[in-house]
Amino acid sequence: MKKRYIVLLTVILVCATLALAACNGTEQPTSMEILRQRYGEIGSAKSIEQKITVQSGNFTQFESVKTYLKTQNGYDVTGTEKRLNDATASEAYAVKTVSEQVSAAEGAAPTLKLDENYFETGFRLTETGLTASVKADNVKDVFALDDGELKAPVSNLTLELNTSKDKLTTVKIKFVSGGSNVTVELTMTY
């Protein structure tokens, strides 16, 4: 008889434990929530490589290649910026060497508000990342810009974010502005 009570008590305790675990309220985050979190963790990267190109046809109008290396106080930033000169200049490009220190990674990564409602139908969101075209009416929303902050029209904005081992490893942003193709690429190492 005692054995039955012990078995019955054990079954009741197991059921109660399962019921409490189910009611715990810990819902699994969505893929988009996980991606937002990983994008927000870019500042924990040991290094960030940033490449920005602006091209019109075969001409590179602007190119910036920078590396952000994490230090105790922020990041050491090194690299180059190359701008196309006008036709009267003796050199085709003006090249500027970059060597500075910044306190945070904000300069390396643009603000991105990731929301499924901002993307065209057919975007791809998986455990390994996102590939999406942004709706024309939501460009300012994605970059969290006010009306006056968007200096030139932007079209054909696409985002590609890739993750590996629970970290965001690459971000690629492509769009057309003023007839030029703009690409922003970030590669993070943790």
Side-chain angles (χ1 to χ4, degrees):
M1 194 76 163
K2 286 183 183 181
K3 220 178 202 185
R4 283 187 179 167
Y5 286 121
I6 292 174
V7 171
L8 181 61
L9 184 59
T10 304
V11 169
I12 290 172
L13 287 174
V14 169
C15 289
T17 303
L18 291 174
L20 285 174
C23 295
N24 192 7
T26 55
E27 294 180 23
Q28 293 295 324
T30 66
S31 294
M32 186 60 75
E33 290 169 338
I34 292 169
L35 191 59
R36 281 187 206 118
Q37 178 185 352
R38 289 180 182 163
Y39 189 79
E41 294 171 349
I42 287 177
S44 68
K46 290 180 185 175
S47 72
I48 304 169
E49 291 183 34
Q50 177 198 65
K51 183 175 182 182
I52 302 171
T53 57
V54 180
Q55 291 187 296
S56 180
N58 291 330
F59 290 104
T60 300
Q61 298 167 303
F62 175 80
E63 181 177 76
S64 172
V65 179
K66 295 179 183 176
T67 301
Y68 290 69
L69 291 174
K70 193 165 190 81
T71 65
Q72 281 186 317
N73 300 321
Y75 287 86
D76 287 336
V77 184
T78 57
T80 58
E81 291 182 351
K82 182 170 93 170
R83 293 184 189 279
L84 183 63
N85 284 327
D86 62 18
T88 61
S90 61
E91 298 289 325
Y93 291 95
V95 179
K96 174 183 160 187
T97 301
V98 176
S99 181
E100 61 186 359
Q101 295 173 335
V102 296
S103 59
E106 280 95 24
T111 299
L112 284 182
K113 289 179 72 178
L114 303 172
D115 186 322
E116 295 97 336
N117 296 317
Y118 297 159
F119 306 141
E120 296 285 351
T121 303
F123 68 90
R124 184 181 60 83
L125 176 63
T126 67
E127 305 81 36
T128 60
L130 168 73
T131 302
S133 294
V134 176
K135 294 177 184 174
D137 293 342
N138 294 111
V139 170
K140 288 186 284 187
D141 299 318
V142 168
F143 289 114
L145 298 173
D146 293 328
D147 287 337
E149 292 179 298
L150 192 59
K151 303 296 183 193
V154 171
S155 62
N156 300 331
L157 175 63
T158 61
L159 302 174
E160 184 178 321
L161 289 83
N162 296 300
T163 62
S164 176
K165 298 181 183 176
D166 297 331
K167 296 288 185 186
L168 184 65
T169 55
T170 61
V171 175
K172 188 178 231 184
I173 303 167
K174 296 173 86 174
F175 58 92
V176 176
S177 180
S180 296
N181 295 313
V182 180
T183 304
V184 179
E185 295 179 67
L186 305 174
T187 305
M188 284 69 65
T189 305
Y190 296 89

